[in-house]
Amino acid sequence: MKKKISLLVFALATSTGAFAQDARSAMNQILDGYTLPIFVAFMLGGIVLGLAQQWDNIIDKDNRGTRKDGLFALAWYVGYALVAAIVVPVKSGASFQQTTGYW
């Protein structure tokens, strides 16, 4: 009787580990499909938000000579977005290579 129970426990433990790997693989595939569009949406949203924040400075609303400051601030927003656009795909490609072995 003990042998049957131990075999049953062993069989359940080994199948649970295999299922966890399959579930993790499926989750990684789902995330890989949605990561880039979500990232692009956040980057564009950040640039639009930065443009909205600096709009008064860019158009030099009160003739204070702030156009240059507004454009430089906007350039920083775009620069950070470009750096993130380079870093995120590289990180995503590294995780893709580790999980699947392809690249």
Side-chain angles (χ1 to χ4, degrees), residues 2 17 19 23 27 30 38 47 53 59 63 67 72 80 82 87 100:
K2 285 186 178 183
F19 175 73
M27 184 58 82
I30 291 169
I38 290 172
I47 291 173
Q53 287 178 343
I59 64 170
N63 292 327
R67 180 168 302 181
F72 273 115
Y80 281 128
L82 289 175
V87 169
T100 62

Side-chain angles (χ1 to χ4, degrees), residues 3-103:
K3 188 175 183 178
K4 286 183 181 180
I5 292 175
S6 62
L7 284 174
L8 178 66
V9 169
F10 178 74
L12 289 175
T14 56
S15 64
T16 304
F19 175 73
Q21 290 298 322
D22 290 341
R24 184 174 178 184
S25 175
M27 184 58 82
N28 282 338
Q29 288 176 349
I30 291 169
L31 289 176
D32 283 342
Y34 287 108
T35 300
L36 187 61
I38 290 172
F39 169 73
V40 169
F42 276 113
M43 286 297 108
L44 289 177
I47 291 173
V48 168
L49 182 63
L51 182 64
Q53 287 178 343
Q54 296 296 326
W55 187 250
D56 287 339
N57 289 336
I58 292 171
I59 64 170
D60 200 13
K61 186 175 182 179
D62 297 326
N63 292 327
R64 293 177 289 155
T66 58
R67 180 168 302 181
K68 183 172 134 181
D69 295 335
L71 290 174
F72 273 115
L74 186 61
W76 277 105
Y77 285 120
V78 172
Y80 281 128
L82 289 175
V83 168
I86 292 169
V87 169
V88 167
V90 169
K91 286 288 195 181
S92 153
S95 69
F96 178 76
Q97 182 180 11
Q98 288 174 356
T99 56
T100 62
Y102 298 118
W103 192 250

